[in-house]
Amino acid sequence: MNDSNKNYIRNLYAKFEKETFIKEMELYAAEHRVPIIETDGVELLKQLVRLHRPKHILEIGTAIGYSTIQMALANKQTHITSVELDETRYLEANQNVNKANLSDRIQLILDDANEYLNNIKENEFDFVFIDAAKGQYINYVKKISPFLRSGSLLVIDNVLFKGYVSKEVQDDRKRLVKLGEKIDRFNHWLIEHPEYDTTIMETGDGVAIALKR
């Protein structure tokens, strides 16, 4: 067997192993009720990473590292810093990142995102993915915006929140209704923000894409 054929087979097996690992993470998340980005949402996210080709991504909300790993696989040149508040999820994400052999490009941080954002540096990140405490979305964007240069991209998940934002869901659970109203205020605030050109897509559970002017 020549070297070309050997490389082809190695790449084929490597791709299969990655796809199997991703599927295992999806099954684990479903079984243990870990909130991860929906399938079509993560496909959009990966495409944005491919197109934008960021050097350094900041992710707020790691969970088990599902979207973190997906973004790293979408662009082999990017580095990712991901912040997670829950220690159990942080440890699970560490295991998954190591299993995916991506620890050289992914740095996981156990911290409150609001605290972490108090210490970031200007131009440190050129792509930000937010999938964390929905009631804190405005605070996250306010804190990071002064440090993003023109052309940086913000991607925020769950901005339609399973129909609670549009009030299509008939539900009297006050906490969810109030959270839906809070996300709705965030959406309007972001769309009207003078520093961003923003689009909200119905993909997944709603994804906001904001380009820094």
Side-chain angles (χ1 to χ4, degrees):
M1 184 182 295
N2 59 41
D3 290 341
S4 178
N5 287 338
K6 288 179 181 178
N7 288 334
Y8 169 78
I9 292 174
R10 276 197 294 266
N11 291 336
L12 196 64
Y13 274 107
K15 182 180 179 182
F16 175 76
E17 288 175 354
K18 288 175 183 176
E19 290 175 350
T20 301
F21 178 54
I22 292 296
K23 182 58 66 177
E24 288 174 354
M25 292 182 71
E26 291 171 350
L27 292 172
Y28 178 89
E31 181 180 350
H32 294 84
R33 297 184 179 180
V34 180
I36 61 174
I37 186 171
E38 295 185 13
T39 303
D40 51 350
V42 81
E43 290 302 321
L44 173 62
L45 178 64
K46 290 191 294 182
Q47 187 71 341
L48 290 171
V49 171
R50 295 186 191 106
L51 292 170
H52 196 69
R53 301 170 67 87
K55 293 181 179 179
H56 197 173
I57 297 173
L58 171 63
E59 179 182 47
I60 298 176
T62 316
I64 58 173
Y66 176 73
S67 52
T68 325
I69 291 169
Q70 292 272 44
M71 289 190 289
L73 293 175
N75 180 2
K76 295 182 180 179
Q77 305 304 315
T78 194
H79 285 73
I80 302 173
T81 297
S82 188
V83 185
E84 174 58 44
L85 177 62
D86 186 281
E87 186 173 5
T88 300
R89 298 288 181 241
Y90 165 81
L91 293 173
E92 290 174 328
N94 257 309
Q95 291 179 345
N96 288 327
V97 168
N98 289 331
K99 187 175 179 180
N101 296 316
L102 290 169
S103 57
D104 59 328
R105 292 197 290 119
I106 295 175
Q107 179 186 15
L108 302 181
I109 294 177
L110 178 63
D111 199 359
D112 180 276
N114 277 307
E115 293 298 323
Y116 176 80
L117 291 174
N118 289 334
N119 299 300
I120 63 173
K121 301 175 183 177
E122 189 170 3
N123 296 336
E124 188 174 358
F125 304 103
D126 52 353
F127 188 110
V128 181
F129 175 54
I130 301 175
D131 187 10
K134 297 163 187 61
Q136 294 295 316
Y137 278 2
I138 287 181
N139 290 335
Y140 296 152
V141 175
K142 281 183 176 179
K143 287 189 174 185
I144 198 169
S145 285
F147 301 97
L148 297 179
R149 64 175 179 267
S150 176
S152 297
L153 201 65
L154 280 175
V155 182
I156 304 104
D157 194 28
N158 302 124
V159 296
L160 297 181
F161 192 45
K162 306 184 187 304
Y164 284 96
V165 173
S166 63
K167 298 182 180 178
E168 293 177 0
V169 175
Q170 299 299 318
D171 195 323
D172 59 358
R173 285 178 288 181
K174 291 183 179 180
R175 183 184 69 83
L176 298 178
V177 171
K178 287 184 177 180
L179 187 52
E181 292 172 350
K182 200 165 190 175
I183 298 170
D184 182 49
R185 289 195 294 272
F186 167 76
N187 291 343
H188 282 87
W189 174 82
L190 186 60
I191 287 173
E192 295 168 4
H193 200 297
E195 296 181 9
Y196 291 98
D197 291 314
T198 301
T199 299
I200 292 181
M201 305 187 68
E202 294 184 20
T203 305
D205 194 26
V207 178
I209 303 169
L211 181 67
K212 184 79 179 286
R213 292 175 179 170

